[in-house]
Amino acid sequence: MSDIIAQYEKYVMPTYARQPVAFVRGSGCYLYDREGNRYLDFVAGLSINNLGHCHPAVVAAAQKQAAELINTCNLYYTQPGGELAQLISELSLGGKVFFSNSGAEANECAIKLARKHGRDTDGDNKYRIITLENGFHGRTMATLTATAQPAKQEPFKPLLPGFTYVPRNDIAALEAEMDDSVCAILLEPVQGEGGIYPLEKDYLEAARRLAGKHGALLMFDEVQTGLGRTGKLFAYEHAGVKPDVMTLSKSLGGALPIGATVTAPAYSEVLGAGMHGSTFGGGPVPCAAAIAVLNELIADGFLEGVNARGDYMRSLLEKMKEDGLVTGVRGLGLMLAIDLGSPVAADVVTEALKNGIILNNTSAETIRFLPPLVVEEGMIEAVVEFLQTALTGRT
Ligand SMILES: Cc1ncc(COP(=O)(O)O)c(C=O)c1O
């Protein structure tokens, strides 16, 4: 065991089952350990490094800002916060933005906003929030309550009141739970942590219609799907269904911590002064990095490239399915997963690491791919070749 790992074992709470490797450097699609071994990264820090590790534009923006002003807290104005909010607003829902530091915090703000809006419009009884089974929205008490995965929730009960869970893509089940006591529907357009399950266009359209009918907010958690991951800047664009509120985080700051809760104009003023806050939220350094990230994502041809590489990777995975090596292939853009048909996913991830490839499994049978969006075809081929070898004779 390296001294770095030993130190973690002794002093860091054991809330993660970490892979047995410590990285010291990252560049593009590769990470490096202390011995100089190189690893091809198909996890991208769970989609925080969408532009690859230490993208020069992100590093330059963060370094420049850090040398000028790191943070002031939110009692004052700083230039990068306003500029980033304008950019996000103009690229998405057109309203205002609240900045925090993580995905869970972005969702926490959305949940509070929905409760407040419900109360403003229809009094004390409009507080129910509907989320989807197998979804993931974070680990704080409110976002854990929104995360309808019993195993994650059980140790922390009692949870918050007022949450109802429905199965994904089941319009009738959603309709059955909707009434005027619902203040919001919160969902991921593609369930990420749950194993890469895209929601159907019909379902998103029905959610939009039902939310409107009952005066509820439609809120999309785009923490993982957002910012080019699915081949569009935001996953809601695939179905053409715009939410009232959207949350972003992960890759927004180019791997620096930032969360954003974005509203349509009608909901921009629901939370007023003193109703929500974050000391660090929207600090100049992550905001400067995020402006650099967005400028890369909206550059000509960037998203076309993501789609081309996503299609290519998917075609190779589909071929593995034809060859009987995997039982399922799912996803959108460069947010992909394979089902292995037997509980060998953790073993494959371990073997991949020994072969200099970083993979992630969402369950015993499912491997999820979140490579940097700048991944190259040859890298995709290398990963697929590894999988072909690893899975031959295993499943
Ligand atoms: C869709 C989604 N929402 C929320 C979160 C929570 O984000 P964070 O870990 O930054 O709190 C995640 C993290 O994986 C996520 O995938």
Side-chain angles (χ1 to χ4, degrees), residues 102-104 107 136-138 188 221 223-224 250:
S102 66
N107 287 327
F136 187 81
H137 301 291
E188 300 155 87
D221 177 345
V223 166
Q224 195 169 140
K250 289 210 185 281

Side-chain angles (χ1 to χ4, degrees), residues 122-176:
D122 211 7
D124 291 1
N125 290 326
K126 193 172 183 65
Y127 63 87
R128 287 176 59 223
I129 295 178
I130 297 192
T131 67
L132 303 193
E133 290 168 7
N134 195 50
F136 187 81
H137 301 291
R139 303 279 192 167
T140 63
M141 283 309 292
T143 59
L144 177 67
T145 307
T147 294
Q149 297 191 38
K152 290 190 170 65
Q153 294 177 331
E154 200 56 42
F156 304 103
K157 285 185 169 176
L159 302 173
L160 262 62
F163 282 74
T164 303
Y165 312 128
V166 294
R168 67 172 173 265
N169 289 330
D170 184 338
I171 296 174
L174 179 61
E175 197 152 18

Side-chain angles (χ1 to χ4, degrees), residues 333-349:
L334 278 168
M335 186 176 186
L336 295 165
I338 49 174
D339 291 326
L340 305 182
S342 61
V344 296
D347 293 346
V348 172
V349 169

Side-chain angles (χ1 to χ4, degrees), residues 182-207:
V182 175
C183 68
I185 302 169
L186 170 65
L187 53 82
E188 300 155 87
V190 181
Q191 291 189 334
E193 199 263 356
I196 315 291
Y197 290 95
L199 297 188
E200 288 158 11
K201 182 173 162 47
D202 282 5
Y203 187 78
L204 293 172
E205 285 169 352

Side-chain angles (χ1 to χ4, degrees), residues 28-356:
C29 298
Y30 292 102
L31 282 165
Y32 298 83
D33 65 18
R34 230 176 354 182
E35 287 71 44
N37 297 311
R38 191 176 82 160
Y39 300 80
L40 179 54
D41 185 2
F42 266 52
V43 178
L46 293 171
S47 198
I48 62 176
N49 290 290
N50 280 6
L51 295 179
H53 293 276
C54 298
H55 188 282
V58 174
V59 172
Q63 279 180 337
K64 180 170 180 292
Q65 186 57 52
E68 281 170 8
L69 178 65
I70 294 179
N71 206 337
T72 61
C73 90
N74 277 299
L75 295 180
Y76 314 99
Y77 298 94
T78 60
Q79 194 264 337
E83 190 180 331
L84 178 62
Q86 180 176 355
L87 196 51
I88 293 174
S89 173
E90 288 177 357
L91 288 168
S92 62
L93 306 185
K96 295 187 180 176
V97 180
F98 176 85
F99 288 123
S100 52
N101 313 284
S102 66
E105 285 173 85
N107 287 327
E108 189 80 26
C109 174
I111 289 166
K112 282 179 71 176
L113 189 151
R115 286 266 167 101
K116 170 72 172 32
H117 180 253
R119 182 179 283 260
D120 288 350
T121 54
D122 211 7
D124 291 1
N125 290 326
K126 193 172 183 65
Y127 63 87
R128 287 176 59 223
I129 295 178
I130 297 192
T131 67
L132 303 193
E133 290 168 7
N134 195 50
F136 187 81
H137 301 291
R139 303 279 192 167
T140 63
M141 283 309 292
T143 59
L144 177 67
T145 307
T147 294
Q149 297 191 38
K152 290 190 170 65
Q153 294 177 331
E154 200 56 42
F156 304 103
K157 285 185 169 176
L159 302 173
L160 262 62
F163 282 74
T164 303
Y165 312 128
V166 294
R168 67 172 173 265
N169 289 330
D170 184 338
I171 296 174
L174 179 61
E175 197 152 18
E177 286 297 343
M178 287 300 292
D179 60 29
D180 290 351
S181 70
V182 175
C183 68
I185 302 169
L186 170 65
L187 53 82
E188 300 155 87
V190 181
Q191 291 189 334
E193 199 263 356
I196 315 291
Y197 290 95
L199 297 188
E200 288 158 11
K201 182 173 162 47
D202 282 5
Y203 187 78
L204 293 172
E205 285 169 352
R208 178 67 282 172
R209 178 175 53 78
L210 289 166
K213 181 176 166 194
H214 293 285
L217 300 183
L218 182 62
M219 310 203 296
F220 286 176
D221 177 345
E222 294 238 23
V223 166
Q224 195 169 140
T225 55
L227 303 165
R229 173 54 60 192
T230 68
K232 301 262 190 204
L233 197 53
F234 305 108
Y236 72 73
E237 296 170 56
H238 290 281
V241 172
K242 261 198 178 183
D244 301 308
V245 176
M246 169 178 74
T247 55
L248 300 172
S249 185
K250 289 210 185 281
S251 66
L252 179 58
L256 288 172
I258 182 167
T261 309
V262 190
T263 62
Y267 312 106
S268 291
E269 312 276 329
V270 172
L271 295 175
M275 290 192 173
H276 197 53
S278 163
T279 302
F280 287 117
V285 177
C287 285
I291 292 165
V293 167
L294 283 169
N295 283 331
E296 293 294 321
L297 296 180
I298 61 179
D300 270 356
F302 187 90
L303 291 175
E304 285 78 358
V306 174
N307 282 304
R309 293 187 289 277
D311 288 350
Y312 182 57
M313 180 154 181
R314 196 184 177 113
S315 72
L316 298 185
L317 298 176
E318 295 284 2
K319 174 79 173 46
M320 286 176 64
K321 189 175 166 202
E322 277 165 35
D323 294 343
L325 291 174
V326 302
T327 55
V329 178
R330 286 187 301 279
L332 268 180
L334 278 168
M335 186 176 186
L336 295 165
I338 49 174
D339 291 326
L340 305 182
S342 61
V344 296
D347 293 346
V348 172
V349 169
T350 301
E351 204 174 316
L353 191 67
K354 288 182 191 149
N355 283 271

